[in-house]
Amino acid sequence: LAVGYRVPAGAHADAAAIDVLAYVLGDTPSGRLHKALVETKKAVSIGSSAMKLHDPGVLVLQAQLGKEDSLSAARSALLQSVQETLDKPPTQQEVDRAKAAYLKQIESTISGADRLGLSLSNWIGMGDWRLFFLYRDRLKNVTAADVARVAQQYLKADNRTIGAFIPQAKPDRAEIPATPDVTALVKDYKGDQSLALGEAFDPSPANIHART
């Protein structure tokens, strides 16, 4: 089960607060969705992710259910947890825990050249590598009031899309053939038409001038 809420681009000032909101809802085991779904046996696991992209993205809240779990019960519990987050905004303790986790992750990223290079390439895709450091600075300044504001602004019923993947016992899948051996396919290939060779052109300035 997944619920997606449209959110601004990764470069937007709200992105850091939205990430904190995602952590407050989707962390395991401290997150609100874990308490509402996993601890009540309505789901096996939960998760959340805020997609930071060049253009507006999505905040996704999701739950994985067991075979015998009720999809409707999990959906109701997830949406109820979202509503309770609007009625009872994240506490300062929840916000501080999320910020500490993200800032530690950023510090770890900076300490490894490979991780930093990969991360910066993602921020370059959002517009500029320096957004990585701007985001870090914004994250440090996120307050509980900021998180409550973005929750009210984006966790709206008309701003969400709900989807469910329901596996079947015997799915009627299409049989996809294995990838051909391309080397064997083209080994003896010959074109069906010969082309005349072009002129061996002398690119010297004098020749170009003479031909112009």
Side-chain angles (χ1 to χ4, degrees):
L1 176 70
V3 181
Y5 295 88
R6 295 176 62 248
V7 294
H12 195 276
D14 285 347
I18 291 170
D19 271 344
V20 172
L21 175 61
Y23 188 98
V24 169
L25 287 167
D27 181 54
T28 298
S30 68
R32 296 190 176 193
L33 294 182
H34 181 86
K35 298 180 186 301
L37 284 94
V38 179
E39 292 184 3
T40 60
K41 309 296 184 182
K42 294 183 177 67
V44 175
S45 65
I46 56 89
S48 66
S49 62
M51 299 181 185
K52 292 188 291 295
L53 307 171
H54 180 276
D55 299 307
V58 184
L59 165 60
V60 178
L61 309 175
Q62 58 191 32
Q64 182 176 358
L65 281 60
K67 290 182 178 180
E68 306 304 322
D69 293 334
S70 167
L71 186 63
S72 61
R75 170 177 167 155
S76 296
L78 194 157
L79 296 180
Q80 179 62 30
S81 185
V82 171
Q83 184 59 48
E84 289 176 357
T85 301
L86 299 178
D87 298 335
K88 298 178 182 178
T91 65
Q92 189 63 50
Q93 183 180 17
E94 288 176 305
V95 171
D96 288 344
R97 184 188 300 117
K99 289 171 61 176
Y102 282 129
L103 290 172
K104 183 178 180 181
Q105 187 179 58
I106 289 173
E107 183 179 346
S108 176
T109 297
I110 292 175
S111 68
D114 55 341
R115 294 190 299 273
L116 180 59
L118 180 60
S119 181
L120 290 181
S121 70
N122 290 331
W123 288 97
I124 289 170
M126 280 181 254
D128 193 289
W129 62 270
R130 288 166 291 191
L131 289 171
F132 173 81
F133 299 100
L134 179 60
Y135 168 80
R136 177 193 59 184
D137 297 343
R138 286 172 170 174
L139 186 61
K140 291 179 180 179
N141 295 322
V142 169
T143 65
D146 293 328
V147 182
R149 176 183 58 79
V150 297
Q152 293 288 340
Q153 187 166 346
Y154 303 114
L155 298 184
K156 297 182 177 182
D158 289 343
N159 189 45
R160 74 185 180 211
T161 300
I162 303 176
F165 169 71
I166 306 173
Q168 300 176 5
K170 295 181 179 180
D172 183 18
R173 294 193 177 97
E175 290 297 328
I176 307 300
T179 303
D181 182 350
V182 177
T183 302
L185 281 176
V186 300
K187 179 181 178 182
D188 298 319
Y189 176 78
K190 292 182 173 57
D192 61 359
Q193 180 179 348
S194 298
L195 298 178
L197 292 175
E199 173 189 1
F201 184 74
D202 172 16
S204 66
N207 188 50
I208 293 174
H209 181 71
R211 298 283 296 271
T212 302

